[in-house]
Amino acid sequence: MNQLTKGGDWPFPESPADERIAQLERRLDRERRARLEAERLAESGLRDLYISRARIELLNGISVRANESDEPLEVLRLAVREICSTLGYPFGNALIVDPNNPRCLKSAGIGFARTCASADPFIEASRTLEICTPETATNSIAVSHVPVWTPGIDQLEGFDRAESARQASFKSMLTVPVLSGRDVVAVLEFFSMDEREPELELLDVLLQAGIQIGGVFRRRSNSDRLRESALTDPLTSLPNRAAFAQRIERCFANSREAGTPAPSLIFIDLDGFKLVNDTLGHHAGDQLLIDMANKLRNLVASANAFADEHPDLCCVELARLAGDEFTLIVDGNDRAELAEQFAADIHIALRQPQWLEDNPVRVTASIGIAHDDGHYERVSDMLRDADLAMYEAKSLGSERTVIFDQKMRNRVASRLSLVNDLRDACERGDFVLHYQPILALDTEELVGFEALVRWVRNGEIVSPAEFIPAAEESGIIAMLGKWVLLEACRTAVRWNTLAPHRENPLRISVNVAPRQFLQPTFVQQVREILKETGADPRWIALEITEGAAITRPHHTARALEELRALNIQVGLDDFGTGYSSLSRLQSIPIDTIKIDQSFVRTQTRTNAQWSVVKAMLDLAHALHLRVVVEGLETEFQREELTSFGCEFGQGYLFSKPLSEEDALELLIQQPDGPFRHMETLVNQ
Amino acid sequence: MKGIIFNILEEVITDAYGPEAWDALICMAGVEGAYASLGSYPDVEFFGLIDATAMLTKQPHAQVLRAFGEAAFPLLIERYPHFLEGVFDTRTFLLSLNTIIQPEIRKIYSDAAYPQFKFAIGDDILQVGYRSQRKLCDVAEGFVRGVAKHYGEEIEVEHGACLNNGDPQCRLDVRWAA
């Protein structure tokens, strides 16, 4: 009956008692072995669990830190410490691949040690380690792309640290590469006192850790590259303006701190660059800049080669500021002499013509230099002075070097003080008007005056050529122009009151500066002055320049219409010198044009060339504009112009500009006409 | 105390005196006697069993502990042979107590209380510092002897400072015969 059911009959007879005991002991022994086996399985499971959890935590900790940090060394330090602590290595060390020499590994100075004093020599050797000869077996291990375990390092031939490893009782080494893409950027090495081979799974975890740490290196090198490109001029690969600004700021601050002179500054501007750009195209222009950069680079390199041996003597840095502007920072004991020598060398280097697209091109440079005399408080002042010197060089012609000096400083200072004085003079009214008569060319009848401003500075008359440019540059011209108009109106009122019955009103022409005319409130200003002085608008003529008229055509058109509506005559000054084509005259609502004196003054009986003037006159007459010529000096000119039908003129032929008193005298002396009764009036 | 220690003690006693001796000790100490290696059991049960052993074998308490330590080593190695991987002498093994054995024990018995060891290395001497709540320095001393026996080395162990005498830690000076 072989049925295995519960309560089935056991077919064999019961054994005797001692046999039973032996059976029970065997059963007990089986149970015991089964228990041990179960415990062994459980322990092994626990151990595996523990190990994989610890590895995951290790990898996770390193990954989190690697993702958070931008500092490769910080992450290396953490990784070495964590791996040592988790895996029980008494010593770990980090080596970094030299970015300039990928075959060279250097200790990063990062280590983790939990060792006794006997390991000190080994640790010291590891911390100062530099491996640059990758021929030996050990070094080829170091740059492997996977973790490598090496036993018996205390006996290993070719392993420099074998002797100290023996002292430290280190027996085996595990190297872990830090990978950025395919490149090994660093190597972690861990040392152990035992020679148990690490499991493959552990090596895999460490490989992953190395890849995670490599990410920090990659991010850092990307951000370095970004930072570098923000500071590099893409065309020439030279440092750009931002890099230059940082550099010079730092140099200047350092030198001020140390109480030593700041480096000398050289500003270089190419003279023929715009011409190359315009005639040969931007491609040629770019090539020219690249060649220029290379020439400067070579000069700097040869200077700095010398500097390697004598760093205190010379250190030169080059940058491209913008367009065709380059700059050099020259430091060292002989910086002044060196900077000037550099400028000379640059001129010489540029004498060699360049071939741009089969065209021989010769450019020259204008160079400005500023040396620190210890008086600069701000680096911006020094930059400004180097720039000023460069402009000064440019104004002297090509291929010039100008060193900023006290005289230039004085000139700048005197221009500044001129502007200040001018402003004060405006407030005090230290100006007078002179009046140049305007006559009808055919009858020589006096029809009016041009009001010309003069500055009475410390009792002396200053000519407009000396202060008008400064007034225009500083914006004082608007204030001054307003004063001139006001004063001219007052004079017009005085003179016309003296001759109330004059047939044609005596008109005073007033020059209006572009800046003044372009003010939105200009017409309003004129209205107020007329109201304040009580001047009849017909007594005033305003002269604006072509430049002002075409700068903002809409404003011009509206302003001129409004002025004409007030019955004020408007004329175009200096006609022929500006930009407007003759046809443009049609669209500008004016009454007169004044032909610039340059068209008249040079015309003599022997070489008269009137064609341009004739054309201007024909056009003006076609547009019903009256014409005034200025700069009349000879009777010949007057006769000719009269014969062409030119109506009015002014110039030394008739009279130089007169003071108000002299002008009044002239009015009184008019032989006939409406002024003849004035003499009695004045003399009463 | 982890069950594994009780298991090892049982093996030591059974090997020396037979299975009935262990039954008698269980009975005398008044303990349950069912110990699973991964479980944790009150320290007093271990000390109760040691006391019973000392009484039944008429040996001093400390000597029982030393004998236990010495006999325990080969039994542990039987269970955990990987502890000895790459270790070929007593000195190396002892120096691995903190760096290898302890981490290994942690992997299995994460809550085990593990004694602190400190080492000072000389040419022919290894000083082992021992500190533990349980003050089982005699077991440690026996254990060191067991290690040397395993490697066939002749050593002398001098148990100087002792926790049981009120010192802050025990010091075992291990010397090798010239």
Side-chain angles (χ1 to χ4, degrees):
Chain A
M1 295 287 275
N2 283 337
Q3 51 184 33
L4 293 175
T5 48
K6 213 173 178 181
D9 296 329
W10 189 247
F12 305 108
E14 277 197 5
S15 316
D18 50 347
E19 182 67 17
R20 289 266 302 157
I21 289 166
Q23 271 180 352
L24 284 172
E25 278 176 349
R26 283 200 296 277
R27 196 180 297 166
L28 188 64
D29 184 50
R30 280 201 304 278
E31 287 295 330
R32 210 178 98 77
R33 278 188 281 124
R35 178 173 64 87
L36 287 176
E37 178 63 12
E39 283 175 351
R40 197 188 61 74
L41 286 171
E43 284 178 0
S44 154
L46 275 177
R47 182 172 180 272
D48 290 349
L49 193 65
Y50 177 92
I51 290 171
S52 50
R53 201 178 58 205
R55 285 175 186 167
I56 288 167
E57 276 172 10
L58 173 68
L59 184 57
N60 195 41
I62 291 173
S63 300
V64 166
R65 200 52 170 266
N67 285 323
E68 284 171 354
S69 176
D70 291 325
E71 185 44 71
L73 294 187
E74 181 197 317
V75 178
L76 278 184
R77 180 175 291 115
L78 170 107
V80 170
R81 193 186 67 209
E82 287 298 303
I83 292 172
C84 282
S85 312
T86 308
L87 304 177
Y89 288 106
F91 179 57
N93 188 39
L95 306 170
I96 290 190
V97 174
D98 184 344
N100 299 320
N101 180 6
R103 301 171 74 106
C104 199
L105 274 173
K106 276 182 188 168
S107 171
I110 289 169
F112 177 87
R114 214 165 34 188
T115 51
C116 355
S118 59
D120 288 353
F122 186 86
I123 292 170
E124 185 53 29
S126 301
R127 291 212 163 136
T128 54
L129 189 65
E130 205 175 318
I131 308 171
C132 276
T133 49
E135 287 86 23
T136 67
T138 329
N139 293 327
S140 65
I141 289 166
V143 292
S144 164
H145 281 65
V146 290
V148 174
W149 178 71
T150 314
I153 56 168
D154 53 344
Q155 310 286 338
L156 194 63
E157 269 190 45
F159 183 61
D160 292 344
R161 290 170 282 173
E163 174 58 35
S164 50
R166 204 153 38 242
Q167 284 177 44
S169 304
F170 288 154
K171 295 277 177 26
S172 64
M173 165 171 82
L174 178 61
T175 55
V176 179
V178 174
L179 295 169
S180 172
R182 293 183 53 79
D183 298 331
V184 176
V185 290
V187 174
L188 306 182
E189 44 179 26
F190 301 96
F191 299 90
S192 174
M193 289 172 160
D194 67 72
E195 287 188 296
R196 286 185 301 158
E197 185 166 3
E199 293 153 44
L200 281 176
E201 290 80 3
L202 174 66
L203 296 185
D204 201 37
V205 165
L206 292 174
L207 176 67
Q208 294 302 323
I211 290 169
Q212 294 294 328
I213 302 165
V216 188
F217 280 83
R218 194 164 54 245
R219 276 205 307 283
R220 168 51 80 87
S221 98
N222 287 345
S223 76
D224 282 356
R225 213 170 298 142
L226 271 180
R227 198 170 305 137
E228 201 174 287
S229 73
L231 294 174
T232 304
D233 165 42
L235 181 67
T236 61
S237 304
L238 290 178
N240 63 9
R241 180 184 286 275
F244 166 74
Q246 278 183 12
R247 182 76 195 130
I248 190 66
E249 283 280 357
R250 204 163 45 234
C251 282
F252 191 82
N254 288 347
S255 68
R256 283 295 172 266
E257 207 164 278
T260 55
S264 291
L265 277 178
I266 304 181
F267 273 34
I268 306 158
D269 192 277
L270 296 184
D271 295 323
F273 177 67
K274 193 173 181 309
L275 192 67
V276 170
N277 241 354
D278 291 347
T279 55
L280 299 177
H282 286 280
H283 182 70
D286 285 353
Q287 190 54 50
L288 180 72
L289 292 174
I290 293 169
D291 292 351
M292 176 69 185
N294 288 337
K295 282 179 177 169
L296 291 173
R297 223 183 240 126
N298 288 340
L299 287 174
V300 169
S302 57
N304 281 343
F306 176 71
D308 285 346
E309 294 161 33
H310 308 277
D312 53 330
L313 290 184
C314 135
C315 171
V316 185
E317 286 175 72
L318 173 64
R320 178 184 173 216
L321 292 188
D324 56 348
E325 282 175 48
F326 295 86
T327 179
L328 287 167
I329 302 172
V330 182
D331 207 356
N333 287 346
D334 302 325
R335 68 198 153 280
E337 197 182 314
L338 194 68
E340 285 157 36
Q341 184 59 48
F342 247 108
D345 290 347
I346 291 166
H347 290 312
I348 291 167
L350 287 176
R351 277 191 196 144
Q352 192 71 35
Q354 277 170 255
W355 288 86
L356 293 176
E357 294 169 358
D358 295 334
N359 298 290
V361 171
R362 167 104 207 273
V363 291
T364 54
S366 295
I367 300 177
I369 300 178
H371 299 307
D372 179 26
D373 55 4
H375 288 101
Y376 287 111
E377 282 179 16
R378 286 181 306 252
V379 70
S380 58
D381 293 343
M382 202 174 162
L383 295 173
R384 182 203 59 210
D385 285 356
D387 208 29
L388 273 173
M390 193 268 286
Y391 277 106
E392 186 80 6
K394 221 173 194 37
S395 72
L396 293 175
S398 62
E399 216 175 35
R400 299 291 287 262
T401 299
V402 169
I403 296 153
F404 188 87
D405 64 5
Q406 198 54 44
K407 266 183 272 171
M408 281 185 71
R409 210 193 298 267
N410 291 346
R411 268 206 297 286
V412 173
S414 75
R415 188 147 66 226
L416 273 178
S417 86
L418 180 75
V419 169
N420 284 335
D421 288 359
L422 209 50
R423 200 165 272 131
D424 292 346
C426 259
E427 280 166 17
R428 286 198 303 264
D430 285 351
F431 296 94
V432 291
L433 289 183
H434 281 192
Y435 300 90
Q436 186 168 42
I438 301 172
L439 281 77
L441 289 184
D442 50 355
T443 62
E444 296 197 10
E445 186 201 349
L446 180 71
V447 295
F449 292 89
E450 180 181 6
L452 297 163
V453 65
R454 300 287 185 267
W455 179 12
V456 188
R457 193 187 193 190
N458 306 323
E460 302 220 338
I461 299 285
V462 183
S463 102
E466 284 181 46
F467 69 88
I468 291 294
E472 284 182 333
E473 213 172 281
S474 60
I476 292 174
I477 194 75
M479 207 186 347
L480 183 59
K482 191 175 170 184
W483 180 88
V484 169
L485 183 59
L486 183 71
E487 208 51 37
C489 285
R490 284 182 181 143
T491 305
V493 170
R494 279 196 292 275
W495 288 348
N496 280 292
T497 317
L498 290 174
H501 308 298
R502 192 182 152 92
E503 197 180 333
N504 292 314
L506 189 70
R507 197 171 267 131
I508 297 181
S509 300
V510 177
N511 293 299
V512 180
R515 211 189 260 245
Q516 186 186 4
F517 177 71
L518 291 171
Q519 289 175 304
T521 57
F522 176 66
V523 177
Q524 181 61 27
Q525 205 179 88
V526 174
R527 255 192 223 111
E528 282 169 9
I529 287 173
L530 290 175
K531 198 174 163 194
E532 183 185 334
T533 57
D536 184 326
R538 287 171 305 153
W539 301 341
I540 296 294
L542 299 178
E543 291 185 4
I544 64 170
T545 62
E546 280 184 76
I550 63 164
T551 300
R552 279 161 53 195
H554 292 297
H555 168 83
T556 302
R558 203 179 59 238
L560 294 184
E561 288 298 350
E562 285 178 22
L563 290 171
R564 292 225 298 198
L566 289 173
N567 276 323
I568 290 183
Q569 270 201 7
V570 182
L572 211 52
D573 200 5
D574 304 335
F575 188 74
T577 58
Y579 324 82
S580 63
S581 61
L582 296 177
S583 60
R584 190 171 242 153
L585 277 178
Q586 291 183 72
S587 60
I588 307 175
I590 48 172
D591 304 293
T592 61
I593 60 169
K594 185 179 269 184
I595 294 177
D596 189 69
Q597 52 180 301
S598 60
F599 294 99
V600 177
R601 197 173 266 169
T602 51
Q603 311 294 351
T604 65
R605 196 174 290 278
T606 50
N607 68 349
Q609 291 286 331
W610 294 111
S611 55
V612 177
V613 173
K614 270 187 191 161
M616 287 196 267
L617 282 168
D618 288 346
L619 181 79
H621 289 147
L623 296 171
H624 307 291
L625 300 174
R626 281 189 301 274
V627 177
V628 184
V629 290
E630 56 180 356
L632 279 178
E633 289 178 351
T634 65
E635 190 59 34
F636 164 74
Q637 291 164 344
R638 188 188 68 83
E639 281 167 10
E640 291 281 287
L641 287 164
T642 309
S643 72
F644 303 147
C646 184
E647 293 99 334
F648 306 102
Q650 64 187 86
Y652 277 54
L653 174 65
F654 304 127
S655 171
K656 61 172 189 178
L658 304 169
S659 67
E660 190 184 342
E661 289 153 28
D662 292 346
L664 186 60
E665 190 72 18
L666 182 74
L667 276 173
I668 293 164
Q669 284 168 6
Q670 287 291 298
D672 44 32
F675 284 95
R676 49 181 180 267
H677 66 285
M678 275 181 23
E679 193 167 356
T680 48
L681 280 175
V682 170
N683 290 338
Q684 275 174 356
Chain B
M1 187 170 282
K2 302 308 295 183
I4 178 73
I5 303 296
F6 291 89
N7 294 157
I8 296 288
L9 180 63
E10 178 186 349
E11 276 189 56
V12 169
I13 297 293
T14 307
D15 284 353
Y17 305 107
E20 290 79 10
W22 182 247
D23 288 341
L25 290 180
I26 296 282
C27 204
M28 193 169 173
V31 295
E32 190 85 17
Y35 301 108
S37 68
L38 292 168
S40 291
Y41 305 92
D43 285 1
V44 290
E45 294 198 9
F46 177 79
F47 289 110
L49 287 164
I50 293 295
D51 286 346
T53 309
M55 206 173 287
L56 286 177
T57 60
K58 300 188 174 63
Q59 289 180 79
H61 195 263
Q63 195 174 323
V64 171
L65 288 173
R66 280 200 292 273
F68 167 63
E70 189 170 339
F73 179 76
L75 297 175
L76 282 168
I77 289 314
E78 207 174 294
R79 290 195 181 205
Y80 308 107
H82 60 280
F83 282 9
L84 294 191
E85 271 177 34
V87 179
F88 304 107
D89 56 39
T90 308
R91 182 192 290 254
T92 314
F93 180 84
L94 293 180
L95 288 173
S96 76
L97 281 173
N98 284 335
T99 55
I100 296 170
I101 309 300
Q102 180 181 5
E104 281 297 321
I105 301 232
R106 283 261 170 271
K107 288 173 191 170
I108 309 170
Y109 310 102
S110 58
D111 57 344
Y114 190 85
Q116 290 177 17
F117 294 102
K118 280 188 177 172
F119 301 100
I121 306 171
D123 278 344
D124 61 346
I125 185 173
L126 177 68
Q127 291 183 340
V128 183
Y130 167 94
R131 201 189 292 179
S132 164
Q133 289 283 319
R134 299 187 179 112
K135 301 184 184 176
L136 288 172
C137 48
D138 292 313
V139 177
E141 188 190 323
F143 193 80
V144 170
R145 291 181 196 282
V147 176
K149 200 171 185 180
H150 173 83
Y151 287 111
E153 295 174 27
E154 268 189 48
I155 59 162
E156 279 174 30
V157 181
E158 191 188 331
H159 194 155
C162 185
L163 289 164
N164 293 313
N165 297 338
D167 294 321
Q169 69 167 359
C170 293
R171 205 178 94 185
L172 304 174
D173 289 353
V174 184
R175 285 194 180 77
W176 280 261

